[in-house]
Amino acid sequence: MIKKTTRYIFIIFLFLFCNKIFAQCPYSTSFSGNGTHLTNGYYVYPDYDFSVTGGTVTVSWISLDNPNRFTLYAPSGATASSNWAGFVTWAGPWGASLNTPTGGSFSLTAPCGAATGCWRLVIETVVNTAMPPNLTDDYSISVTSAGPVYSLPVVSINPVPPQICLGNSSTLTASGANTYVWSTLQNINPITVSPAATTTYTVTGTNANGCTGTSSVSVTVNPLPTVTVNSAAVCVGTSATLTANPSSGGGTYSWSPGGATTSSINYAPGTTTTYTVTYTDVNSCTATGTGTITVNPLPTITISANATVCTNSPNTLTATGATNYIWSPATDLNVTTGQSVVSTPAANRTYTVTGSLASGCSSTGSVTLTTTVLPVITSSADITICPSTTTPLTASGAGVGGTYT
């Protein structure tokens, strides 16, 4: 074979075409340039080595100025598919070759692994010594290969979880391929996403053969619920009801303290207490709300008065410990409201006063008045005596134990 020098353009294109089930990874290259006519009648052309992993290689003659031939040398075991005769076995290291006449195309099928230079294309001319030297012979030849047929990777995405609450994240794990590129431009696996709204994510997976598959998954973002709780003020010893009002229905409740699981609670705490409810909606999204039961103290009522009084004699009753007072019964009282009232009892009386604070909390106090009948006093009759003389005077009616003055 003649050593050749020439200028040429060598362009290689590699494309990947995939259908729903299988992918073809075709090889495409083209050779173009010109040969130089030598004095011995030969044109000088380059030889081209290229590598195709299996499949069928087709050589097509696009243009050639002068009658020439080109030979494609393939690995041993290659079989020809051509409308030309002339397939021969070549003893060299390149295995089989197929010589072609001018024009047309032919193909060879043979697996050849990944060795560089698996195929060799040799361009030769017909000897024509009558042609003057140094003429150029332009040519353009294309070589394509359907390549092997590989299965497409079946790529899938497992979102955990597939639905999230606003502000949370989901982990997307792709499987079925070797490497992955996500629509988020990340090339790691898995990825963690925290979308602000429902978003569809797509991953492209590439297997070891360079074939790709895609898969998409939507991460649903659910809004967070809201929940409000009323507050209440009570007096010591009384209860109040707190009710949770969520923005959406159908969820569950959990109160603290207390552990109640209803929408409303009724408690009578001994001191002011704040209660927190956690509401979980149908999408497992949560919200919290708080309500406070304020516990107000009761007033301590005391009454000052003369416990024993004379019948129909006025007696002042005074209450302390509260802000407002109401007395009962009204019998023998000058008024029934106010901190102090006057009683003129005609008989024994028990009075009750209800004292209340600004908070509305109240308590009572009572006092009993015991009345005594006024004594009827009698004395000795009037007598006349001389100066500086004495005479006894006698009084009666004070009763046993009574005193006279």
Side-chain angles (χ1 to χ4, degrees):
M1 191 176 298
I2 302 173
K3 178 69 177 180
K4 306 174 180 68
T5 59
T6 187
R7 60 183 177 85
Y8 58 89
I9 301 173
F10 182 65
I11 307 174
I12 300 176
F13 302 97
L14 182 60
F15 301 94
L16 182 63
F17 301 100
C18 301
N19 57 30
K20 291 183 179 179
I21 300 177
F22 299 102
Q24 291 186 338
C25 304
Y27 175 91
S28 176
T29 185
S30 63
F31 311 102
S32 62
N34 53 66
T36 302
H37 186 248
L38 303 179
T39 56
N40 59 6
Y42 283 96
Y43 275 90
V44 177
Y45 301 94
D47 292 346
Y48 298 105
D49 290 354
F50 56 96
S51 177
V52 176
T53 304
T56 299
V57 174
T58 299
V59 179
S60 299
W61 186 333
I62 298 176
S63 66
L64 197 61
D65 287 351
N66 293 298
N68 289 272
R69 68 177 184 177
F70 53 87
T71 303
L72 180 68
Y73 293 97
S76 298
T79 57
S81 175
S82 171
N83 57 355
W84 295 320
F87 177 74
V88 297
T89 300
W90 189 58
W94 296 100
S97 67
L98 181 65
N99 298 316
T100 72
T102 59
S105 65
F106 66 93
S107 63
L108 289 175
T109 302
C112 65
T116 301
C118 180
W119 304 81
R120 172 169 291 182
L121 178 64
V122 178
I123 304 173
E124 299 176 287
T125 68
V126 175
V127 176
N128 187 348
T129 57
M131 296 179 66
N134 299 322
L135 293 178
T136 59
D137 183 36
D138 296 328
Y139 64 90
S140 178
I141 296 173
S142 70
V143 178
T144 61
S145 169
V149 178
Y150 299 114
S151 296
L152 285 176
V154 179
V155 179
S156 61
I157 303 174
N158 181 30
V160 180
Q163 295 190 41
I164 63 172
C165 302
L166 182 63
N168 291 348
S169 61
S170 177
T171 298
L172 309 183
T173 303
S175 60
N178 295 78
T179 60
Y180 304 91
V181 177
W182 298 84
S183 54
T184 60
L185 304 182
Q186 295 169 278
N187 59 359
I188 58 175
N189 187 51
I191 64 171
T192 300
V193 294
S194 299
T198 297
T199 302
T200 298
Y201 296 91
T202 300
V203 66
T204 299
T206 304
N207 64 13
N209 297 317
C211 298
T212 62
T214 61
S215 181
S216 297
V217 69
S218 290
V219 176
T220 301
V221 180
N222 296 308
L224 297 178
T226 59
V227 62
T228 59
V229 182
N230 65 296
S231 292
V234 298
C235 303
V236 172
T238 58
S239 63
T241 298
L242 302 184
T243 300
N245 295 289
S247 57
S248 60
T252 60
Y253 305 85
S254 178
W255 291 87
S256 175
T261 57
T262 54
S263 61
S264 295
I265 59 173
N266 185 273
Y267 286 123
T271 58
T272 297
T273 303
T274 297
Y275 295 87
T276 299
V277 64
T278 299
Y279 177 73
T280 304
D281 67 12
V282 294
N283 297 315
S284 297
C285 299
T286 61
T288 59
T290 59
T292 299
I293 298 179
T294 301
V295 179
N296 295 307
L298 299 176
T300 300
I301 305 299
T302 60
I303 303 173
S304 62
N306 292 323
T308 303
V309 296
C310 297
T311 303
N312 297 319
S313 295
N315 189 12
T316 299
L317 311 179
T318 301
T320 59
T323 303
N324 301 299
Y325 304 90
I326 298 176
W327 298 83
S328 65
T331 305
D332 299 330
L333 293 180
N334 65 329
V335 291
T336 57
T337 60
Q339 185 174 10
S340 296
V341 296
V342 176
S343 172
T344 308
N348 293 342
R349 300 282 187 245
T350 297
Y351 293 101
T352 299
V353 64
T354 299
S356 61
L357 300 172
S359 63
C361 296
S362 64
S363 58
T364 62
S366 62
V367 63
T368 298
L369 302 182
T370 302
T371 60
T372 60
V373 179
L374 292 175
V376 178
I377 306 299
T378 60
S379 62
S380 302
D382 294 339
I383 61 173
T384 300
I385 64 172
C386 295
S388 302
T389 60
T390 62
T391 187
L393 298 176
T394 302
S396 64
V400 178
T403 62
Y404 303 89
T405 58

